[in-house]
Amino acid sequence: MLSLVLRRVLAVVPALLGLALAAAVVAALAGPGWTQALGAALAALPATLALVLPALALGTGLGALLGVMGGAGAVLGWVGPAMPGFLLAAVFAATLAKAPVLLGLAALALPAAAQATTLAGRARAGAEDTVLLAARGRGMDGSALLWRLALPLGLSAAMGGLRSAVAGTVTAAVAVENLSGTGFSGAGRLFVEAARAGDAGMAVAALAGLCGLAVLLGALGRALHGWIDPRARMA
Amino acid sequence: MHEPAGTDPHWRDGPWQKAGQRLTAHRPAAAGLTVLAALMLAVAAGLVAGGGPVGAALAAGHQSLSFALLAGLGGAALGLLWGGAAVALGERAERMMMTPAAALTGLPLALALPLAGGLLGPERGLAPMAVVAALIAAPAVAVIARDELRALLRREFLSAVQAAGIPNGRRLRRHILPNTVLPLAAAAWTALPRALMAESLASLLGLGLPEGVTGWGTAIGAAARAGDAVALAGPALLLALTLWALHGVGDGMRLAFTASTPGGRR
Amino acid sequence: MSRPDDRAPLRVEGLSLLTSRDILLDRLSFAIEAGEVLALSGGAGAGKTLLLRALAGLAPKGVTVLGDIHIRGRRLLVTQDGALDPFRTLGAQFAELLSRQSGLDERTALRRAAEALERFQVPAAARRLALHPHELGEAMRWRAALALAMAAEPALLLADAPAAALDPTQRVRLLSDLAAWTREAGTALLLAGRPQADPIRSGLARSNLADRRLVLAQGRLEVPPAEPTPAPSPAEPAPSGPPVLSVRDLRVAFPLGRNWRGEERWLTVVDGLSIELAEGETLALLGETGSGKSVLARAILRLVPPVGGQVTWLGTDLAAAPPETMRRARRDLQILFPDPLAAFDPLMTIGAQLAETLESLHPSRSPANSAARLADALEEVGLPAAVLDLHPGALLPAEAARAGLARALLPEPRLLVCDEPAATLDGSERADFLALLQAIRRRRRLALLYATQDAAEGLRIGRRALVLLLGRIVESADSAILTAGARHPYSRALIAAAGLAPPALHGDPPSPLRPPTGCALRLRCPLAHDGCAQVPPTLDPVAPGHRVACHVAQDDAQNDAQVGGKAP
Ligand code: SF4
C-alpha cells in the first residue's frame, strides 16, 4: 500500500512543480510581494483540505454503499445532477445559517455521494450476471456477497470516477468558504477575495494551490483505488 | 429465413430514427428534453410578461441560458476541433495534444471563470467571459471526442469500404463523417452543463456575468448572502431543473449514440 | 431415456420455466447419474443458460419455475464467463470456498487448490495461487474457475458453455480434463454448449467427451438424431497453370512504441510468408488465434500495410501499385469479414452500399443495368430483393453473412479471401452458409483463401491447406494428406481438437512479444528435444507436395523413406 501511494504521488510531482512554477511566475509578474502571496496561499490550503477530504471520503464511501444496495441510493443518484455543491451551499446558507461547518460538509459530500451512488449502482447492475452470478453459483449468499464482493465492486467503480469528483468538490469548496460567513478561511476564500480585489498574484497563487490540492487528492484516490481493486494497480 | 417483414412495425426505420428512439426510450433523456423545451417557452413567455419574482427568475434564466448556450457551443466546437485535430495529425501529435486535455479534466477548471471575472474587473464584457467559459468546457469534450473517433476508425466497415476500392476522400465524406455525427453530438452536449455550471458558480461569487446582467447565479448569490430563502427558491429551482435536464439528455445521448455500434435487430 | 435412478445427483421432472408472457422451457424431464457427463446443446437463445440457472436455484427475476428438481448433494454452477472474484488472489478464493463449504483450514485448502490446478495441467500450480484473476490469461482463468468448482467436491457441476471463446486446441483439452475428473470423482456434469453441426465434430458422445447428448430446441429436450456420415466432397483435380496470386516473403508488423532504451519495438504478426495460388484453387489457412492468418488475409488485399515482401496478382506487384491499378486489382480480389454485420456501414442501406461497391469497381455500368445486377447478386445468395432497402441494423446474422457474400461477388472477383466468414453463425445456419459458399465457388470457379481456426472446416473447404504458427507456415500439404496424416505436432493438435480429441500440446501459446528461441512450438511440443531450442526448423519437403517445419517430423520422414526404399 505504502509503495503504491508513493508511486502515485511521485507520478504527480512534475505536475505539482509545474503549478508552483506557474503561480510563482504570475505572482512575480504581478507585483513585488510574490513570496508572501505564495506563502499565504500555501498556509490557507490546510483549511480547504480539512473541508474537502472528509466530504469526499464520506460521500464516496456512503454513496458506494447506497449504490450497491439500491433503493434510496437510486433516488440520490437520480437527483444528483440537479444539486451541484455550490448550489447546495447557497441553499444551506440562505435557509439554515446555523452549524456552517456541518452544512458545508454536507454540501460537498452530497454531490460526491450522488456520483458515487450512480457509478456503484451501474457497476452492481453490470456485475449482476457476471461476477455476482458466478459467486452465487459457487454458493455465496446474501450478506457475504454484499460485503465481500458487491461493495468492493461499487467502491472500485466510485473510485474510478474520483478524479471528476475531486475537481467538483474543490470547486464547490470555494463556494462554501465564501457563503458560510466567517466559518472558514481557506484558499477558496483567499482566491475569491484576491480575485474581487483584482490581485492577480494572490488569486493565481491560490488557484494554483487549489489545483495542486486536486492533483494530490486525485493521486491519493488512485492509490486507494489500487488498494481496493488489484486491477487498478497496474500502470 | 427472413421474418415476414410486416410483423415488425419498425423494420424499415432507418438508423437515425432508431437512434432517436433509443434516446427517447431513456427516461431521464425524454424528461430532460421536455423540461428543456418547457423552460425555453417559459423563459420566452417570462420575458414578454415580466414582473413578479417568477418573472424575475425567468428573466435571469434568459441571461444564464443564453450565456451557457453561447459558451457551450464555443466549448463544444473547440473541444471537437481539439480532439479531431489530435486524431487527424497522427500519433505523436495526438499524444502531445491529448495528455494535457486529460490532465485538465482532473483540475477545478471552473474556477478559471471567477479568476477571469476578477482580473477583467467590473467593466468586463460578456464576450471574453464566454471565451473563458468555452475554454473551460473544451478539454472534456476533446477527450470524449478523441475516444469516439478512435473507436470509429477501428470499425470493420471501414476496411470493407477500402476493399471496395473507394478513394480516401469519398470514404471520409460518405462513411466516416456521417458516422461521427451522433457520437460527437453526445460529446459536444457535455459542454452545455459545464458552461452553465461555471457561469453560475462565478456569478454566485459575484465574479461571473458583468455587473447589471443578472443570471440565476447572481440572484442565488445575492439571496444567499441576504439569507432570503424566498428569493433564492425561484432561481435555485430553475437552475437545478436545467442542470438535471441537461445531464439527463447528455446521459441519454451517451447511451443511445455511442454505447455500441448500432446493430442487432432492436 | 433410462428410468432415472432415485440416487442420481440430478433428477428433473416436468420442469417448466415461464414468464408472464411466454413459456421458455416446457416440461423437461431428465436425470444425470453420478460420474456421467451430459452434453446439452441448442442454438443461441434456446434457453441453456436459463435452464442451468434454474437448476442452480438462481433463476432470474420474473421467471417462474414449475416442476420438480431433485438434487442430491452439493451443486455448483460455473457461469458462461467463468468469472472469478476480481479482488482476491486465487489462493484466497480457494481457501474461502473450501472453508465455507467443507470447513478446511487454509493450509489444507491451499494444498487442495494446487492439486486441483495440477489436474488441469497447470505447471507450477502453487505459484499461481498468489495471482489475481486479471493477471491470468484467458485459458488459465478458465482452468482456475473449473478447478475451483471441482475442488469443492460438488455432486453436480453445471458448466455453462465453458471456455467457449478459447481456441479449439485449448478448449477441448480443458473439457477432456474436466470430464476425466468428474468421472473419476463421481460428479454429475452437465455441459452446455453451442450446437456442433459439423460432421467431424458432431460426435461429442463418440469422442468420449460426453456420455450422452441432449438438444434443447423450442423449449423442449430432444435426443439428437444420429448424424449421417458426411458425403465426401467431390474430389477435385489439382488446378494447373501458373499461379495467379503469389505472395513472397510477406512481413506484417505493428510498431509498439519505444522501450525505455529508446529502441523501436515491433510486434511481428506475419513473418516472411510465401504462398502461391493457381486459378480456381482453394487454400485453407489453419491456426490458432494469433497465428497471423487473419492479418495475412488482410495484408494480401492491402487492408493492412505490409512492412516487407511482395504480393503479386497476375504479375502486378500490389505493394507498389498506383491507386488505379490497385482499384482494378480489387475487382478480382474480394474479402468476407468475420463479423459481416460490422462490415456494413450502419447508416447506409444494403442497396446503397452494394451499389457503391459496384460503382467504384465497375464505373461504366448504366444505372438500370446496375440495379438489375444488385437484385441478381442478392438472388444468388438467397436473399429477397427487399433486403436492398434495409439498413444493416435490420439484418439477422445469417442475412448479414449472405449480404456480405453478395457484396463480395458483385465485382465478379476471381479470388475470394475469407476470414472466418461464418464466425457469427452456428448450427444449421453455419452449414447452410458454407454450402452456399462452396456451391458459388464451384459455379464461378473462384479461387478461395479460407482462414479458420476450425481445422475440420478448413480441410473440408480447402483442397490444400497451410498451417500457421506465430506468423510462419509450419506445414503445407493437400487437405487429404493432412487429414490422413499430418506430420507437424501443431497440425496434429489442431486436427485432433477439431475432432474433439484432446490435443497433445502442453500449456498456453507463448506471447508473440517474446517468442521462444528455436522452434516456436518448443515450449508446448510433446516431441521437443534440445535441438529444437537451438535451430529453428525450416520448411522443407518431406514428400512431394508436403512440406513441414519440424526437426522430428523431418527425421521421421527420412527414416520412413529409407525403410520404404529398402523394403522389397
Ligand atoms: S521442431 Fe521440435 S519443438 Fe518444434 S515442433 Fe518439431 S519437435 Fe516440436
Side-chain angles (χ1 to χ4, degrees), chain C residues 404-429:
Chain C
L405 180 57
R407 170 168 64 182
L409 293 176
L410 263 183
E412 286 162 17
R414 295 163 72 179
L415 167 64
L416 196 55
V417 176
C418 307
D419 182 8
E420 297 265 12
T424 51
L425 309 177
D426 51 25
S428 59
E429 283 180 348

PDB file of all heavy atoms in Angstrom, chain C residues 404-429:
ATOM      1  N   GLY C 404     -23.064  -9.891 -47.149  1.00  0.00           N
ATOM      2  CA  GLY C 404     -21.633  -9.673 -47.306  1.00  0.00           C
ATOM      3  C   GLY C 404     -21.093 -10.464 -48.486  1.00  0.00           C
ATOM      4  O   GLY C 404     -20.249  -9.980 -49.254  1.00  0.00           O
ATOM      5  N   LEU C 405     -21.591 -11.686 -48.630  1.00  0.00           N
ATOM      6  CA  LEU C 405     -21.159 -12.510 -49.758  1.00  0.00           C
ATOM      7  C   LEU C 405     -21.610 -11.882 -51.074  1.00  0.00           C
ATOM      8  O   LEU C 405     -20.850 -11.814 -52.044  1.00  0.00           O
ATOM      9  CB  LEU C 405     -21.740 -13.914 -49.597  1.00  0.00           C
ATOM     10  CG  LEU C 405     -21.417 -14.933 -50.676  1.00  0.00           C
ATOM     11  CD1 LEU C 405     -19.918 -15.080 -50.830  1.00  0.00           C
ATOM     12  CD2 LEU C 405     -22.039 -16.285 -50.343  1.00  0.00           C
ATOM     13  N   ALA C 406     -22.847 -11.362 -51.074  1.00  0.00           N
ATOM     14  CA  ALA C 406     -23.348 -10.733 -52.290  1.00  0.00           C
ATOM     15  C   ALA C 406     -22.477  -9.547 -52.673  1.00  0.00           C
ATOM     16  O   ALA C 406     -22.138  -9.352 -53.842  1.00  0.00           O
ATOM     17  CB  ALA C 406     -24.795 -10.280 -52.089  1.00  0.00           C
ATOM     18  N   ARG C 407     -22.094  -8.763 -51.681  1.00  0.00           N
ATOM     19  CA  ARG C 407     -21.259  -7.597 -51.990  1.00  0.00           C
ATOM     20  C   ARG C 407     -19.911  -8.032 -52.560  1.00  0.00           C
ATOM     21  O   ARG C 407     -19.400  -7.429 -53.508  1.00  0.00           O
ATOM     22  CB  ARG C 407     -21.031  -6.759 -50.741  1.00  0.00           C
ATOM     23  CG  ARG C 407     -19.981  -5.690 -50.966  1.00  0.00           C
ATOM     24  CD  ARG C 407     -19.934  -4.671 -49.887  1.00  0.00           C
ATOM     25  NE  ARG C 407     -19.542  -5.239 -48.609  1.00  0.00           N
ATOM     26  CZ  ARG C 407     -19.463  -4.535 -47.499  1.00  0.00           C
ATOM     27  NH1 ARG C 407     -19.780  -3.260 -47.507  1.00  0.00           N
ATOM     28  NH2 ARG C 407     -19.106  -5.093 -46.378  1.00  0.00           N
ATOM     29  N   ALA C 408     -19.342  -9.112 -51.969  1.00  0.00           N
ATOM     30  CA  ALA C 408     -18.040  -9.553 -52.449  1.00  0.00           C
ATOM     31  C   ALA C 408     -18.140 -10.101 -53.869  1.00  0.00           C
ATOM     32  O   ALA C 408     -17.198 -10.000 -54.639  1.00  0.00           O
ATOM     33  CB  ALA C 408     -17.480 -10.614 -51.508  1.00  0.00           C
ATOM     34  N   LEU C 409     -19.294 -10.681 -54.236  1.00  0.00           N
ATOM     35  CA  LEU C 409     -19.413 -11.294 -55.558  1.00  0.00           C
ATOM     36  C   LEU C 409     -19.711 -10.265 -56.652  1.00  0.00           C
ATOM     37  O   LEU C 409     -19.489 -10.534 -57.828  1.00  0.00           O
ATOM     38  CB  LEU C 409     -20.519 -12.350 -55.551  1.00  0.00           C
ATOM     39  CG  LEU C 409     -20.230 -13.583 -54.681  1.00  0.00           C
ATOM     40  CD1 LEU C 409     -21.420 -14.505 -54.684  1.00  0.00           C
ATOM     41  CD2 LEU C 409     -18.997 -14.309 -55.190  1.00  0.00           C
ATOM     42  N   LEU C 410     -20.222  -9.110 -56.260  1.00  0.00           N
ATOM     43  CA  LEU C 410     -20.662  -8.117 -57.249  1.00  0.00           C
ATOM     44  C   LEU C 410     -19.620  -7.779 -58.307  1.00  0.00           C
ATOM     45  O   LEU C 410     -19.920  -7.777 -59.486  1.00  0.00           O
ATOM     46  CB  LEU C 410     -21.087  -6.835 -56.536  1.00  0.00           C
ATOM     47  CG  LEU C 410     -22.565  -6.646 -56.264  1.00  0.00           C
ATOM     48  CD1 LEU C 410     -22.764  -5.287 -55.636  1.00  0.00           C
ATOM     49  CD2 LEU C 410     -23.361  -6.753 -57.541  1.00  0.00           C
ATOM     50  N   PRO C 411     -18.391  -7.462 -57.901  1.00  0.00           N
ATOM     51  CA  PRO C 411     -17.422  -7.096 -58.934  1.00  0.00           C
ATOM     52  C   PRO C 411     -16.889  -8.285 -59.719  1.00  0.00           C
ATOM     53  O   PRO C 411     -15.923  -8.109 -60.451  1.00  0.00           O
ATOM     54  CB  PRO C 411     -16.326  -6.389 -58.137  1.00  0.00           C
ATOM     55  CG  PRO C 411     -16.477  -6.828 -56.756  1.00  0.00           C
ATOM     56  CD  PRO C 411     -17.872  -7.243 -56.538  1.00  0.00           C
ATOM     57  N   GLU C 412     -17.505  -9.450 -59.580  1.00  0.00           N
ATOM     58  CA  GLU C 412     -17.049 -10.662 -60.259  1.00  0.00           C
ATOM     59  C   GLU C 412     -15.586 -10.952 -59.975  1.00  0.00           C
ATOM     60  O   GLU C 412     -14.734 -10.919 -60.878  1.00  0.00           O
ATOM     61  CB  GLU C 412     -17.284 -10.547 -61.770  1.00  0.00           C
ATOM     62  CG  GLU C 412     -18.746 -10.701 -62.090  1.00  0.00           C
ATOM     63  CD  GLU C 412     -19.084 -10.169 -63.459  1.00  0.00           C
ATOM     64  OE1 GLU C 412     -18.175  -9.983 -64.267  1.00  0.00           O
ATOM     65  OE2 GLU C 412     -20.280  -9.953 -63.695  1.00  0.00           O
ATOM     66  N   PRO C 413     -15.289 -11.238 -58.737  1.00  0.00           N
ATOM     67  CA  PRO C 413     -13.890 -11.462 -58.357  1.00  0.00           C
ATOM     68  C   PRO C 413     -13.408 -12.818 -58.861  1.00  0.00           C
ATOM     69  O   PRO C 413     -14.195 -13.672 -59.241  1.00  0.00           O
ATOM     70  CB  PRO C 413     -13.950 -11.456 -56.825  1.00  0.00           C
ATOM     71  CG  PRO C 413     -15.308 -11.970 -56.521  1.00  0.00           C
ATOM     72  CD  PRO C 413     -16.202 -11.457 -57.599  1.00  0.00           C
ATOM     73  N   ARG C 414     -12.084 -12.958 -58.846  1.00  0.00           N
ATOM     74  CA  ARG C 414     -11.514 -14.262 -59.193  1.00  0.00           C
ATOM     75  C   ARG C 414     -10.928 -14.927 -57.963  1.00  0.00           C
ATOM     76  O   ARG C 414     -10.663 -16.122 -57.973  1.00  0.00           O
ATOM     77  CB  ARG C 414     -10.451 -14.079 -60.258  1.00  0.00           C
ATOM     78  CG  ARG C 414     -11.080 -13.565 -61.546  1.00  0.00           C
ATOM     79  CD  ARG C 414     -10.067 -12.989 -62.474  1.00  0.00           C
ATOM     80  NE  ARG C 414      -9.253 -14.032 -63.074  1.00  0.00           N
ATOM     81  CZ  ARG C 414      -8.290 -13.759 -63.953  1.00  0.00           C
ATOM     82  NH1 ARG C 414      -8.069 -12.518 -64.320  1.00  0.00           N
ATOM     83  NH2 ARG C 414      -7.581 -14.732 -64.469  1.00  0.00           N
ATOM     84  N   LEU C 415     -10.684 -14.138 -56.936  1.00  0.00           N
ATOM     85  CA  LEU C 415     -10.184 -14.711 -55.683  1.00  0.00           C
ATOM     86  C   LEU C 415     -11.026 -14.157 -54.546  1.00  0.00           C
ATOM     87  O   LEU C 415     -11.220 -12.949 -54.433  1.00  0.00           O
ATOM     88  CB  LEU C 415      -8.718 -14.330 -55.452  1.00  0.00           C
ATOM     89  CG  LEU C 415      -8.171 -14.609 -54.049  1.00  0.00           C
ATOM     90  CD1 LEU C 415      -8.179 -16.091 -53.756  1.00  0.00           C
ATOM     91  CD2 LEU C 415      -6.782 -14.050 -53.890  1.00  0.00           C
ATOM     92  N   LEU C 416     -11.525 -15.055 -53.706  1.00  0.00           N
ATOM     93  CA  LEU C 416     -12.291 -14.626 -52.547  1.00  0.00           C
ATOM     94  C   LEU C 416     -11.476 -14.990 -51.311  1.00  0.00           C
ATOM     95  O   LEU C 416     -11.148 -16.154 -51.102  1.00  0.00           O
ATOM     96  CB  LEU C 416     -13.640 -15.344 -52.542  1.00  0.00           C
ATOM     97  CG  LEU C 416     -14.721 -14.771 -51.654  1.00  0.00           C
ATOM     98  CD1 LEU C 416     -14.939 -13.306 -51.979  1.00  0.00           C
ATOM     99  CD2 LEU C 416     -16.009 -15.542 -51.857  1.00  0.00           C
ATOM    100  N   VAL C 417     -11.122 -13.965 -50.541  1.00  0.00           N
ATOM    101  CA  VAL C 417     -10.382 -14.204 -49.315  1.00  0.00           C
ATOM    102  C   VAL C 417     -11.398 -14.254 -48.187  1.00  0.00           C
ATOM    103  O   VAL C 417     -12.180 -13.315 -48.022  1.00  0.00           O
ATOM    104  CB  VAL C 417      -9.369 -13.068 -49.073  1.00  0.00           C
ATOM    105  CG1 VAL C 417      -8.671 -13.247 -47.749  1.00  0.00           C
ATOM    106  CG2 VAL C 417      -8.364 -13.018 -50.198  1.00  0.00           C
ATOM    107  N   CYS C 418     -11.440 -15.348 -47.433  1.00  0.00           N
ATOM    108  CA  CYS C 418     -12.452 -15.482 -46.383  1.00  0.00           C
ATOM    109  C   CYS C 418     -11.764 -15.508 -45.036  1.00  0.00           C
ATOM    110  O   CYS C 418     -10.922 -16.363 -44.789  1.00  0.00           O
ATOM    111  CB  CYS C 418     -13.240 -16.772 -46.556  1.00  0.00           C
ATOM    112  SG  CYS C 418     -13.921 -16.971 -48.182  1.00  0.00           S
ATOM    113  N   ASP C 419     -12.130 -14.572 -44.166  1.00  0.00           N
ATOM    114  CA  ASP C 419     -11.550 -14.517 -42.837  1.00  0.00           C
ATOM    115  C   ASP C 419     -12.612 -14.997 -41.855  1.00  0.00           C
ATOM    116  O   ASP C 419     -13.436 -14.205 -41.412  1.00  0.00           O
ATOM    117  CB  ASP C 419     -11.113 -13.076 -42.555  1.00  0.00           C
ATOM    118  CG  ASP C 419     -10.454 -12.929 -41.209  1.00  0.00           C
ATOM    119  OD1 ASP C 419     -10.208 -13.953 -40.564  1.00  0.00           O
ATOM    120  OD2 ASP C 419     -10.188 -11.776 -40.811  1.00  0.00           O
ATOM    121  N   GLU C 420     -12.627 -16.268 -41.529  1.00  0.00           N
ATOM    122  CA  GLU C 420     -13.638 -16.843 -40.633  1.00  0.00           C
ATOM    123  C   GLU C 420     -15.035 -16.342 -40.998  1.00  0.00           C
ATOM    124  O   GLU C 420     -15.721 -15.754 -40.157  1.00  0.00           O
ATOM    125  CB  GLU C 420     -13.362 -16.442 -39.178  1.00  0.00           C
ATOM    126  CG  GLU C 420     -12.056 -16.947 -38.623  1.00  0.00           C
ATOM    127  CD  GLU C 420     -12.206 -18.246 -37.862  1.00  0.00           C
ATOM    128  OE1 GLU C 420     -13.286 -18.880 -37.959  1.00  0.00           O
ATOM    129  OE2 GLU C 420     -11.249 -18.644 -37.192  1.00  0.00           O
ATOM    130  N   PRO C 421     -15.494 -16.564 -42.217  1.00  0.00           N
ATOM    131  CA  PRO C 421     -16.716 -15.875 -42.656  1.00  0.00           C
ATOM    132  C   PRO C 421     -17.971 -16.337 -41.922  1.00  0.00           C
ATOM    133  O   PRO C 421     -18.983 -15.662 -41.975  1.00  0.00           O
ATOM    134  CB  PRO C 421     -16.808 -16.235 -44.137  1.00  0.00           C
ATOM    135  CG  PRO C 421     -16.074 -17.520 -44.246  1.00  0.00           C
ATOM    136  CD  PRO C 421     -14.988 -17.487 -43.227  1.00  0.00           C
ATOM    137  N   ALA C 422     -17.908 -17.476 -41.248  1.00  0.00           N
ATOM    138  CA  ALA C 422     -19.109 -17.962 -40.577  1.00  0.00           C
ATOM    139  C   ALA C 422     -18.975 -17.857 -39.063  1.00  0.00           C
ATOM    140  O   ALA C 422     -19.679 -18.535 -38.333  1.00  0.00           O
ATOM    141  CB  ALA C 422     -19.393 -19.399 -40.988  1.00  0.00           C
ATOM    142  N   ALA C 423     -18.078 -16.990 -38.610  1.00  0.00           N
ATOM    143  CA  ALA C 423     -17.793 -16.954 -37.170  1.00  0.00           C
ATOM    144  C   ALA C 423     -19.022 -16.572 -36.359  1.00  0.00           C
ATOM    145  O   ALA C 423     -19.142 -16.959 -35.202  1.00  0.00           O
ATOM    146  CB  ALA C 423     -16.655 -15.977 -36.894  1.00  0.00           C
ATOM    147  N   THR C 424     -19.951 -15.802 -36.940  1.00  0.00           N
ATOM    148  CA  THR C 424     -21.093 -15.365 -36.140  1.00  0.00           C
ATOM    149  C   THR C 424     -22.266 -16.334 -36.229  1.00  0.00           C
ATOM    150  O   THR C 424     -23.302 -16.086 -35.635  1.00  0.00           O
ATOM    151  CB  THR C 424     -21.586 -13.986 -36.616  1.00  0.00           C
ATOM    152  OG1 THR C 424     -21.782 -14.051 -38.028  1.00  0.00           O
ATOM    153  CG2 THR C 424     -20.592 -12.910 -36.291  1.00  0.00           C
ATOM    154  N   LEU C 425     -22.108 -17.405 -37.015  1.00  0.00           N
ATOM    155  CA  LEU C 425     -23.229 -18.328 -37.209  1.00  0.00           C
ATOM    156  C   LEU C 425     -22.939 -19.650 -36.520  1.00  0.00           C
ATOM    157  O   LEU C 425     -21.792 -20.023 -36.334  1.00  0.00           O
ATOM    158  CB  LEU C 425     -23.421 -18.602 -38.709  1.00  0.00           C
ATOM    159  CG  LEU C 425     -23.507 -17.371 -39.589  1.00  0.00           C
ATOM    160  CD1 LEU C 425     -23.627 -17.782 -41.035  1.00  0.00           C
ATOM    161  CD2 LEU C 425     -24.704 -16.540 -39.182  1.00  0.00           C
ATOM    162  N   ASP C 426     -23.990 -20.356 -36.125  1.00  0.00           N
ATOM    163  CA  ASP C 426     -23.750 -21.729 -35.711  1.00  0.00           C
ATOM    164  C   ASP C 426     -24.900 -22.618 -36.146  1.00  0.00           C
ATOM    165  O   ASP C 426     -25.900 -22.156 -36.705  1.00  0.00           O
ATOM    166  CB  ASP C 426     -23.467 -21.849 -34.213  1.00  0.00           C
ATOM    167  CG  ASP C 426     -24.501 -21.167 -33.371  1.00  0.00           C
ATOM    168  OD1 ASP C 426     -25.652 -21.004 -33.826  1.00  0.00           O
ATOM    169  OD2 ASP C 426     -24.163 -20.776 -32.255  1.00  0.00           O
ATOM    170  N   GLY C 427     -24.704 -23.898 -35.924  1.00  0.00           N
ATOM    171  CA  GLY C 427     -25.748 -24.850 -36.249  1.00  0.00           C
ATOM    172  C   GLY C 427     -26.013 -24.914 -37.738  1.00  0.00           C
ATOM    173  O   GLY C 427     -25.111 -24.804 -38.561  1.00  0.00           O
ATOM    174  N   SER C 428     -27.281 -25.030 -38.070  1.00  0.00           N
ATOM    175  CA  SER C 428     -27.624 -25.253 -39.470  1.00  0.00           C
ATOM    176  C   SER C 428     -27.379 -23.988 -40.290  1.00  0.00           C
ATOM    177  O   SER C 428     -27.068 -24.062 -41.475  1.00  0.00           O
ATOM    178  CB  SER C 428     -29.088 -25.659 -39.572  1.00  0.00           C
ATOM    179  OG  SER C 428     -29.885 -24.643 -39.029  1.00  0.00           O
ATOM    180  N   GLU C 429     -27.491 -22.823 -39.654  1.00  0.00           N
ATOM    181  CA  GLU C 429     -27.216 -21.589 -40.401  1.00  0.00           C
ATOM    182  C   GLU C 429     -25.794 -21.591 -40.938  1.00  0.00           C
ATOM    183  O   GLU C 429     -25.532 -21.211 -42.075  1.00  0.00           O
ATOM    184  CB  GLU C 429     -27.396 -20.377 -39.487  1.00  0.00           C
ATOM    185  CG  GLU C 429     -28.834 -20.018 -39.242  1.00  0.00           C
ATOM    186  CD  GLU C 429     -28.960 -18.809 -38.341  1.00  0.00           C
ATOM    187  OE1 GLU C 429     -27.945 -18.401 -37.746  1.00  0.00           O
ATOM    188  OE2 GLU C 429     -30.073 -18.274 -38.233  1.00  0.00           O
TER     189      GLU C 429
END
